[in-house]
Amino acid sequence: MKILRMLFILIVSLLLIIMQTSNAKNNIFASENIKIANVAVVMNDFQHPQMLFIKQGLTDIQNENRDKVNFIFYDGKGNLAIQTEIINSLISNSNIDLMVIGLINPQSDVVEDIIRKADLRNMPIIMNDVNPETALKLSKGYSKVIFLKGKSEEVGILQGKILVDEWNNKGMDKNKDNILQYVMLKGETNNPVANVREKYSVSTINEAGIKTQQLALRVVNWNKEIAKQAIEALLLKYDGNIEAIIANDDTIAIGAIEALQKYGYNKGNKSKYIDVVGATGLQEVKDLIDKGFMTGTAIINYEAQAEAVYKIAMNLLNNESPIKDTNYTISDGFVVLTVDYFPYTKKNNISS
């Protein structure tokens, strides 16, 4: 009887050891074998100030959590082929625990191919700037992929409200036809963020009772020089009929301002001024606004976005719900981030 009791105790002890070992393997931060998570961050182009803001935010978080995370950054250089080559290499790298990916104008088949390969390796992935249809479809089939989105419509709404305020001050309607003639500078074709900002900036103006006429839409690939060249050509074409320029972000808004100033606009003469709105909150743009050379911008909190990436990544690596201990929500395949946006104009220059 004593032998049977000792054998029973031995079996139970072995089972407990096996269970503890299994739990340690399932948790990257298990107390028995603490491991710093290697998180690869593959961005579309570090020439974009927005990407640099995210990189700096993640770097600051890493410096405060050196015992938990190590971010490794990869620059796609604005080239999808380069990005996919980097991603494929990282998927086969056993030292990488999780990937954060911001693809260049991602197509559904490209996104699915990446996720399928990562899923074979059981690697968690966080992706942003994916169109809603793709996110809804793929989120149902792959448990370790998270699609992020902010409330991009709020950026467009802020841009629209800035222009509504200007219109109501009676200075914009240069030809007195009660129609706001504008040019749209769009970041990318079929980019979800660009699409939403474009839509809501104009709809906000219309909902305020202001009629609009789009004189031109130019896709400028988030590039300042392309934006500058586009506005130079449009100024010659429309010869004083442009009343506003709506830019998807501050980088291309700066390109628009440079083009305008080349032709004598937006240098301080109120009779030769075209309203320009952007989005990001670059210091260069704030300076232009403070000098009266640009109308306004929507400030985006990139520190909060970086914090969201970190929190969700840690949750995934610990096999927790991606939104555990956050105020984020899940909707239509996306984790929706709660990030504040603020208007910056000469009248209400809220510092970022």
Side-chain angles (χ1 to χ4, degrees):
M1 193 72 178
K2 184 183 290 186
I3 294 173
L4 286 174
R5 187 180 298 124
M6 291 178 65
L7 184 61
F8 176 76
I9 292 170
L10 179 61
I11 291 170
V12 170
S13 299
L14 286 171
L15 286 172
L16 287 171
I17 291 170
I18 291 168
M19 289 172 66
Q20 289 175 350
T21 304
S22 175
N23 287 337
K25 288 180 179 178
N26 287 332
N27 186 340
I28 198 166
F29 299 113
S31 59
E32 291 298 319
N33 185 26
I34 294 175
K35 179 181 184 299
I36 297 173
N38 288 317
V39 177
V41 183
V42 186
M43 306 305 285
N44 53 29
D45 193 346
F46 282 134
Q47 293 297 312
H48 292 170
Q50 296 92 329
M51 301 299 103
L52 292 176
F53 286 148
I54 294 288
K55 181 180 180 182
Q56 185 59 55
L58 292 174
T59 301
D60 291 342
I61 289 169
Q62 174 181 299
N63 290 337
E64 295 171 1
N65 298 274
R66 291 186 179 277
D67 60 333
K68 294 180 180 178
V69 67
N70 176 44
F71 291 109
I72 310 158
F73 299 97
Y74 298 87
D75 185 358
K77 300 185 183 300
N79 187 310
L80 183 58
I82 292 175
Q83 271 196 305
T84 52
E85 183 178 348
I86 291 170
I87 291 166
N88 287 333
S89 173
L90 290 170
I91 289 172
S92 62
N93 185 342
S94 61
N95 292 320
I96 301 299
D97 301 302
L98 180 147
M99 276 197 294
V100 180
I101 302 172
L103 286 175
I104 300 155
N105 202 8
Q107 299 299 315
S108 178
D109 58 337
V110 175
V111 174
E112 185 166 11
D113 183 62
I114 290 169
I115 292 172
R116 181 182 55 78
K117 290 175 181 176
D119 187 62
L120 291 174
R121 220 208 88 183
N122 203 30
M123 175 190 283
I125 289 182
I126 299 172
M127 301 188 81
N128 59 13
D129 293 351
V130 174
N131 72 59
E133 294 79 12
T134 301
L136 185 59
K137 172 189 171 185
L138 296 180
S139 62
K140 295 175 180 177
Y142 299 93
S143 61
K144 291 200 172 185
V145 59
I146 298 298
F147 298 105
L148 297 186
K149 77 170 182 177
K151 296 184 177 180
S152 296
E153 65 273 15
E154 292 186 13
V155 174
I157 290 168
L158 282 177
Q159 290 182 311
K161 286 182 175 179
I162 291 169
L163 292 176
V164 168
D165 288 343
E166 290 298 308
W167 181 270
N168 290 337
N169 287 332
K170 310 296 183 185
M172 287 183 70
D173 191 12
K174 296 178 175 59
N175 58 8
K176 308 302 179 186
D177 65 351
N178 291 316
I179 300 172
L180 172 57
Q181 278 86 19
Y182 71 92
V183 168
M184 179 67 67
L185 292 179
K186 188 170 182 176
E188 287 178 327
T189 303
N190 296 326
N191 179 287
V193 172
N195 289 345
V196 171
R197 291 181 186 178
E198 174 193 356
K199 174 184 176 180
Y200 281 91
S201 60
V202 178
S203 66
T204 300
I205 297 169
N206 296 148
E207 287 168 7
I210 301 168
K211 295 179 181 178
T212 55
Q213 178 187 359
Q214 181 174 278
L215 297 178
L217 182 150
R218 295 291 183 269
V219 177
V220 295
N221 297 323
W222 309 107
N223 185 286
K224 182 180 77 171
E225 288 304 316
I226 297 175
K228 180 180 178 180
Q229 293 166 14
I231 295 301
E232 287 178 3
L234 291 170
L235 282 172
L236 296 175
K237 180 176 181 179
Y238 289 105
D239 191 24
N241 291 321
I242 301 172
E243 295 172 336
I245 299 171
I246 304 172
N248 272 176
D249 77 354
D250 280 351
T251 300
I252 53 184
I254 292 169
I257 293 293
E258 290 181 359
L260 292 172
Q261 292 185 334
K262 178 179 177 179
Y263 287 92
Y265 290 88
N266 293 41
K267 287 187 168 184
N269 183 349
K270 292 184 179 179
S271 66
K272 203 168 184 183
Y273 180 85
I274 294 174
D275 285 272
V276 180
V277 291
T280 299
L282 297 182
Q283 187 57 51
E284 183 177 353
V285 161
K286 292 179 182 178
D287 293 341
L288 289 169
I289 293 167
D290 292 343
K291 292 174 183 177
F293 298 159
M294 182 170 159
T295 309
T297 189
I299 294 179
I300 301 171
N301 188 342
Y302 288 103
E303 288 182 2
Q305 291 189 13
E307 183 182 8
V309 168
Y310 170 69
K311 287 181 176 179
I312 293 168
M314 294 301 100
N315 282 337
L316 288 174
L317 290 170
N318 281 294
N319 293 315
E320 303 283 1
S321 163
I323 60 174
K324 180 186 177 184
D325 296 330
T326 73
N327 59 354
Y328 316 139
T329 58
I330 297 177
S331 176
D332 296 329
F334 284 101
V335 171
V336 182
L337 308 183
T338 306
V339 178
D340 294 326
Y341 305 93
F342 304 99
Y344 190 101
T345 67
K346 194 171 183 180
K347 287 186 288 186
N348 69 334
N349 52 353
I350 302 170
S351 60
S352 59

